[in-house]
Amino acid sequence: MLDVAERAGVSKASVSRFIGDDRALLSDATALRIEQAIDQLGYRPNQMARGLKRGRTRLIGMLVADIRNPYSIAVMHGVETACRKHGYSLVVCNTDRDDEQERQHLAALRAYNIEGLIVNTLGHHLDQLLELQQEMPMVLVDRKVDALHSDLVGLDNRVAVSMALDHLEQKGYRDLLLISEAADGTSSRLERMDSFKAQIERRKALRGAVLEIGPDLHARVQAFLDADTAGPKALFCANGIATLACTAVLRELGCALFEDIGLIALDDLDWYPLVGSGITALAQPTDAIGASAFDCLLQRLRGDSEPARTLDFLPQLIVRGSTQSLHK
Amino acid sequence: MLDVAERAGVSKASVSRFIGDDRALLSDATALRIEQAIDQLGYRPNQMARGLKRGRTRLIGMLVADIRNPYSIAVMHGVETACRKHGYSLVVCNTDRDDEQERQHLAALRAYNIEGLIVNTLGHHLDQLLELQQEMPMVLVDRKVDALHSDLVGLDNRVAVSMALDHLEQKGYRDLLLISEAADGTSSRLERMDSFKAQIERRKALRGAVLEIGPDLHARVQAFLDADTAGPKALFCANGIATLACTAVLRELGCALFEDIGLIALDDLDWYPLVGSGITALAQPTDAIGASAFDCLLQRLRGDSEPARTLDFLPQLIVRGSTQSLHK
DNA sequence: CTGTTAGCGCATTCAA
DNA sequence: TTGAATGCGCTAACAG
């Protein structure tokens, strides 16, 4: 910086003003000289030092529960795009579903003076999160954390379940099994399970049960298939992991995919068209969700202090073969 | 920090020593008092300030060409795990295969004073990369950049191709088609294509051609299937994207997966067992590759200045139905 | 073993 | 409109 100042024949302060948004305070002549000096020297301001001084690091943190879940990646991609567009950089921390790692990462993010935090984990370590919430805006993605009164952006799970049931019912399926990952407190999983149960209650044409993935998945699905019931059967997989596990089990059980049984999945993965006759899916608008999460943060950073908002997005139904077998 | 020092009745310097690795220089008594003060005040050292002073930010950067490629994610996971183990944090930058974004990200990474860089892109913007290479250690993953004389960690593509051809030949396939993404300069793609051509030359039992993915993929694959040849046909997909595209095309063409044609894939994705009779794959040890990339960086950071190394890992063959149809 | 001093690179008063 | 001085939170000499 000193080099630039000397070469431009000005003081460090002027260079600083040029770098920042105070360019209005500079005469055109000096601004030009500074610009040239910067170009010639290839000078880049040190963000660490800027952050240290101003408290603005232009860094956003994102805490992700499982980076190998395609949903997380997709959302992260949306967030990252939005960040770059506004001059922010994103620090992603993957907890691998491990509480201790969540703790470590939270500490690290604070140490690096991030300006805002996007959270997509279970939010154990409430104490740390609450402290962080005092210091910076925070937005929850997909998973609500009750004690955290932050903005929340995710899927309208009630509507999603409703769309799935409408579709299955219309296609002639009558006996349903919702497959979810273990209800470990993840709000979106709970909402999907609860909505499912509630709506099954109200829809007289349908029967339904809920099953969590576990070592007995194979046996339980087999039992479902063997059970004698009045109507055609279908699985409703609550996310990508569940879909992968169920499809594997169905293959092991020797099912013809998908003539013996219907299947609808929440989230749409790129390989769904390739399995059996293709897997019908409810796609989440992950890019929009990610971008929206960043926007929330940005508004808060700009001083918005409205009460916490909840942004619920709607899924899009993509019909493939796995819900068409009864119409052949 | 001053608060901590006062509460412990010592100077900031002692607190600093406690924070750093100089704990040996402190008496047990003061160390204890400092520790207590830190606990009571919930003090966290500011990494920005530490970085500013020491030049050690404990930050590693990673430039990824395509975050939606499962291979990249898997390697990134390995890197991140290794980072955390050694107290480093990882800043991931996704270029989305876009050169302009590569430029921006490179500038940002430098501004944040990262200590080392892991590169998994095409490495256009050589000038920037060369400058960065002067300032910090760098390691290339999967893709070589000729002008960059850095450590390189990736797959032994020659051996991988050889393993694939051995397997296909042994299973009775004779007419092969290698499908790759466009040869845009990505070294691993080129190596796979070149090895394939070279080895096909030498293996008299086999015939083979190379095809790059493009709008005409459908037609070209159809032509391959229709062509009259002496022996059973198989596709060799050079990565996950190619596998996805090819499988989709085969379905459109009405092939029975995989009785009409064999298939072997480089990289192993979680859905491969579910498609048709299952896709035979050569799995890359992505965790090891990621961890190894970080280790290279760490050694360089610790002063190792040996000439650049190349670490070639070996894939693991996972046999599924897509190469078994001839043995039914 | 511990405290004092002097910056790291920059943004912001306050004068000029 | 610009420059000089001060300090962000911390580490590294150097004394003691």
Side-chain angles (χ1 to χ4, degrees), chain A residues 274, chain B residues 235 237 242-252 257-258 263 271 275 279:
Chain A
L274 305 179
Chain B
L235 300 182
C237 294
T243 308
L244 188 68
C246 285
T247 314
V249 164
L250 290 178
R251 278 178 57 97
E252 290 166 15
L257 303 178
F258 292 91
L263 178 67
W271 52 270
V275 174
I279 296 175

Side-chain angles (χ1 to χ4, degrees), chain A residues 48 68 79 141 157 160 192 207 223 250 255 287 292 315 318-319 321:
Chain A
M48 295 290 169
R68 288 185 275 199
V79 172
V141 168
N157 288 299
R192 288 167 199 182
R207 247 183 61 171
L250 291 178
C255 290
D287 266 328
S292 174
I318 298 170
V319 180

Side-chain angles (χ1 to χ4, degrees), chain B:
Chain B
M1 178 164 181
L2 194 61
D3 296 344
V4 174
E6 285 175 352
R7 184 183 257 273
V10 297
S11 71
K12 291 196 304 176
S14 296
V15 178
S16 172
R17 292 196 259 259
F18 183 85
I19 308 271
D21 295 331
D22 306 329
R23 204 168 306 186
L25 298 181
L26 293 177
S27 72
D28 292 354
T30 41
L32 185 63
R33 290 214 309 285
I34 295 175
E35 184 167 12
Q36 288 173 346
I38 286 180
D39 284 353
Q40 290 168 20
L41 274 57
Y43 165 77
R44 296 270 141 213
N46 181 327
Q47 291 290 351
M48 293 291 167
R50 303 189 77 190
L52 184 58
K53 183 64 191 169
R54 296 212 298 181
R56 296 189 57 191
T57 55
R58 296 282 183 176
L59 239 33
I60 296 290
M62 181 166 180
L63 204 57
V64 178
D66 181 6
I67 206 175
R68 289 186 274 199
N69 180 333
Y71 169 83
S72 303
I73 297 293
V75 171
M76 180 174 139
H77 183 260
V79 172
E80 210 252 357
T81 304
C83 278
R84 195 167 18 71
K85 200 178 298 174
H86 294 271
Y88 282 79
S89 293
L90 184 67
V91 181
V92 179
C93 294
N94 173 221
T95 67
D96 260 342
R97 304 154 177 246
D98 178 62
D99 283 351
E100 172 56 18
Q101 288 192 36
E102 176 175 317
R103 209 186 53 69
Q104 281 189 32
H105 278 139
L106 247 16
L109 286 174
R110 181 134 72 131
Y112 285 110
N113 286 9
I114 57 169
E115 290 182 37
L117 181 61
I118 295 176
V119 177
N120 176 39
T121 64
L122 249 28
H124 299 161
H125 305 293
L126 247 187
D127 44 348
Q128 280 188 75
L129 284 169
L130 284 168
E131 278 180 36
L132 278 170
Q133 199 180 27
Q134 306 295 64
E135 303 172 13
M136 67 186 72
M138 198 175 282
V139 43
L140 270 20
V141 169
D142 186 66
R143 300 158 179 226
K144 181 151 51 187
V145 178
D146 280 325
L148 244 41
H149 203 55
S150 294
D151 293 334
L152 170 66
V153 21
L155 188 71
D156 188 325
N157 289 299
R158 206 185 48 73
V159 169
V161 168
S162 169
M163 286 172 67
L165 296 188
D166 282 350
H167 179 68
L168 290 173
E169 185 169 352
Q170 182 218 325
K171 289 296 184 180
Y173 297 96
R174 292 295 174 259
D175 194 9
L176 313 182
L177 187 60
L178 176 74
I179 318 270
S180 169
E181 286 190 270
D184 54 0
T186 308
S187 69
S188 49
R189 287 181 200 162
L190 284 173
E191 285 179 26
R192 289 168 199 180
M193 292 198 265
D194 290 346
S195 293
F196 181 82
K197 288 175 193 160
Q199 294 191 34
I200 285 292
E201 281 298 314
R202 287 201 298 273
R203 296 176 188 238
K204 297 187 187 115
L206 298 181
R207 249 184 59 171
V210 172
L211 174 55
E212 293 178 21
I213 292 178
D216 60 344
L217 181 65
H218 189 99
R220 302 288 293 274
V221 171
Q222 183 157 35
F224 174 69
L225 289 175
D226 292 345
D228 217 28
T229 54
K233 293 167 181 168
L235 300 182
F236 177 11
C237 294
N239 71 7
I241 310 275
T243 308
L244 188 68
C246 285
T247 314
V249 164
L250 290 178
R251 278 178 57 97
E252 290 166 15
L253 291 174
C255 289
L257 303 178
F258 292 91
E259 293 172 23
D260 300 349
I261 186 169
L263 178 67
I264 188 168
L266 198 28
D267 284 347
D268 186 33
L269 307 197
D270 53 13
W271 52 270
Y272 283 179
L274 304 179
V275 174
S277 52
I279 296 175
T280 294
L282 287 162
Q284 291 198 52
T286 49
D287 267 327
I289 289 175
S292 174
F294 178 80
D295 281 345
C296 283
L297 236 38
L298 201 56
Q299 285 190 35
R300 298 296 182 184
L301 284 171
R302 289 180 176 162
D304 175 6
S305 55
E306 299 291 303
R309 271 172 306 240
T310 296
L311 294 180
D312 279 333
F313 284 80
L314 294 178
Q316 186 192 352
L317 178 66
I318 297 171
V319 180
R320 300 201 180 92
S322 69
T323 51
Q324 308 271 31
S325 60
L326 304 180
H327 283 241
K328 275 190 311 192

